[in-house]
Amino acid sequence: EVTHADVTEWSVPRDFKQLVYCVQGKAAEANGVYVTTLGAGPGRPVAKGPSRFYRPTWDEKQTRLAFFASDLPPDAKKPEEKKEDAPPAKLRVYVWDRSGEADAVEVLNPSTPGLPAGRGFVDRGGLAFSADGTKLAINTAPLPKPPAKKAEVKPEDKVELDIWHWKDDAIQPMQKVRAAADRTRSFRGVYLLDSKQFRQLSDADTDVAVPDH
């Protein structure tokens, strides 16, 4: 019997030759994506470091594996560092070629050329290879704005108002619903594995599907 510690996600390809698993434990330096022969001992890391690795995704032929990596959350031992004050996680994407012995390669990060200004990669929608395996679809979204510091207001002086103008397209409750939807909206992009280029396909006015060939 073989036991792998601190496994958060795992995947076995259709040929049952290997086990791929994500590790996240107390020792952040050991976090990573590991590969081993199915039924064998501890695997070797194809990506490793103090990050959160997740969502391993195969292409159709299962020769390539893509996965996310993001910053770890703020240290829980620092109560003065509030979650809302922490910078947004810097999402990265790795691709591992199963046919060789090389490690996974970081193909997307916040500095990727072609990523529109003010946007970042998001894991909403996950990762998806095209049918021919040459493209990797991923979504982007506007980067969150830093929260404005609010002045201290005494409870007895606090007043909440919903202001609506007769020329508004929707009443206040519907405006709140639409605002919430806009905050979670994401836009389709694609990474071209052959040319190693990222292209933004969709924006607020246009939605383009990822071609399969």
Side-chain angles (χ1 to χ4, degrees):
E1 182 177 332
V2 179
T3 301
H4 302 285
D6 301 320
V7 174
T8 56
E9 296 179 67
W10 59 273
S11 178
V12 175
R14 290 187 295 269
D15 59 14
F16 296 101
K17 290 183 177 180
Q18 291 171 311
L19 169 67
V20 178
Y21 58 97
C22 302
V23 168
Q24 183 172 342
K26 293 182 179 180
E29 293 74 16
N31 291 354
V33 176
Y34 291 73
V35 179
T36 186
T37 301
L38 196 62
R44 73 171 184 91
V46 296
K48 184 179 178 183
S51 298
R52 176 192 171 211
F53 297 88
Y54 60 109
R55 301 264 192 97
T57 304
W58 292 104
D59 65 354
E60 181 65 28
K61 295 181 180 179
Q62 295 193 327
T63 57
R64 282 172 168 164
L65 182 80
F67 52 87
F68 289 113
S70 69
D71 298 339
L72 292 173
D75 192 343
K77 295 181 180 179
K78 298 179 181 179
E80 71 278 3
E81 186 177 11
K82 297 180 181 179
K83 182 177 181 181
E84 59 267 22
D85 295 333
K90 296 178 180 179
L91 197 67
R92 306 176 303 282
V93 175
Y94 287 77
V95 172
W96 174 59
D97 189 340
R98 186 187 177 199
S99 62
E101 294 296 324
D103 292 341
V105 176
E106 183 181 297
V107 297
L108 296 172
N109 59 52
S111 301
T112 294
L115 181 64
R119 287 193 194 176
F121 295 109
V122 294
D123 55 15
R124 296 194 296 273
L127 295 166
F129 285 93
S130 59
D132 62 2
T134 63
K135 305 172 187 67
L136 181 65
I138 183 174
N139 288 350
T140 69
L143 294 172
K145 297 179 180 179
K149 293 187 177 180
K150 299 179 181 179
E152 292 292 334
V153 180
K154 296 180 180 180
E156 60 270 20
D157 296 332
K158 188 175 181 180
V159 178
E160 294 185 3
L161 295 175
D162 286 341
I163 300 176
W164 178 79
H165 191 272
W166 67 276
K167 290 186 177 180
D168 288 349
D169 293 333
I171 59 175
Q172 191 68 21
M174 184 55 67
Q175 290 184 29
K176 290 182 178 180
V177 171
R178 290 180 178 176
D182 288 342
R183 285 193 295 269
T184 58
R185 187 177 182 184
S186 57
F187 304 94
R188 196 187 319 273
V190 64
Y191 178 71
L192 308 176
L193 291 157
D194 292 341
S195 61
K196 300 179 181 180
Q197 295 176 313
F198 174 76
R199 294 287 183 264
Q200 184 71 56
L201 298 180
S202 302
D203 55 27
D205 301 316
T206 306
D207 188 16
V208 179
V210 178
D212 283 337
H213 55 277

